[in-house]
Amino acid sequence: MKIVERDRAISLRKKGLTINEIVAETGYSKASVSVWVRNIPLTEKQKNRISEKGRSLASIELRRTSRLANERKKKEIVRDSAKNEIRGFSHRDLLVAGAMLYLGEGTKKSKGRASITNADPEVIQMAVRFLVDICGVPHGRLYGHIHIHSHLDIKRAEMYWSKVSGIPRAQFYKTYCKKSVASLNKKDSLPYGTIEVGTNDIKIFLKIMGWIEKIKELAIGAKIS
């Protein structure tokens, strides 16, 4: 037993300090301090002080919780207001949105294909819709290619991404597995890895690149009405 540490904690408790104050003063663990001082008697004055201290801390916590709730509400109001600024979504809107998504997440060197890679299921769904509805790619000509760490459940990931993307697993390339020592024994932020969805069509790639170039020209030089 840590005799010196225990005796110091007891001495501070006899002076009327709360357990949290003793922990802050000494750096000892709260669990240890609680055990060491649990049988130390306190005067009525000390009990009243600790009781008032507890109520004070409770009030502080209540105010903190209320403040966080108000901040969340304010953020929700801003987001909801922004969402209401966009009403409807046209074919042209999807073309522009998809092209900009491709600019950020798409394959830039053609290699005979046009593809978008991401780990966000909604982004992947948007990418598939862009490729199908805007680029005119038949579902049967889409492919999926998963990149995942080897210690994760590969079959589960393939089933997940097939459901998300709507692409049959038969149209998936062989999943690429990479060993990651750093990710072992840690919470996996990407339990399903990432997926590349695309089509092997150089013309589609060139068309998307043309859209991107034109959108950039207009965004930089056009007057906004």
Side-chain angles (χ1 to χ4, degrees), residues 154-223:
I154 296 169
K155 184 177 180 180
R156 183 178 173 219
E158 291 174 349
M159 293 174 64
Y160 171 81
W161 284 120
S162 179
K163 183 177 180 180
V164 166
S165 66
I167 302 173
R169 289 171 64 191
Q171 291 172 213
F172 279 27
Y173 289 146
K174 183 178 179 180
T175 296
Y176 174 77
C177 299
K178 180 179 180 181
K179 187 174 182 180
S180 174
V181 177
S183 64
L184 293 176
N185 302 317
K186 294 183 179 179
K187 182 178 180 180
D188 294 296
S189 59
L190 297 175
Y192 303 110
T194 63
I195 186 171
E196 174 189 353
V197 294
T199 186
N200 293 304
D201 190 327
I202 184 65
K203 290 183 178 179
I204 296 296
F205 170 80
L206 294 173
K207 181 183 287 189
I208 295 172
M209 289 298 103
W211 288 336
I212 290 173
E213 289 174 10
K214 185 61 177 181
I215 291 169
K216 288 195 292 187
E217 290 174 7
L218 293 172
I220 292 170
K223 292 182 179 179

Side-chain angles (χ1 to χ4, degrees), residues 93-103 116 126 130 208 212:
D93 292 333
L94 182 56
L95 187 157
V96 174
M100 291 301 93
L101 173 60
Y102 198 98
L103 177 61
I116 294 171
M126 181 177 170
F130 170 67
I208 295 172
I212 290 173

Side-chain angles (χ1 to χ4, degrees), residues 4-23:
V4 175
E5 288 86 345
R6 183 199 64 182
D7 289 348
R8 186 182 177 200
I10 290 174
S11 175
L12 293 171
R13 182 62 165 178
K14 288 180 178 179
K15 293 179 181 179
L17 272 67
T18 66
I19 291 175
N20 286 333
E21 287 174 332
I22 295 172
V23 170

Side-chain angles (χ1 to χ4, degrees), residues 47-63:
K47 289 179 181 179
N48 290 335
R49 175 187 176 275
I50 290 175
S51 179
E52 291 174 359
K53 186 77 174 178
R55 286 196 294 271
S56 176
L57 291 174
S59 297
I60 291 172
E61 178 61 20
L62 183 61
R63 288 197 297 272

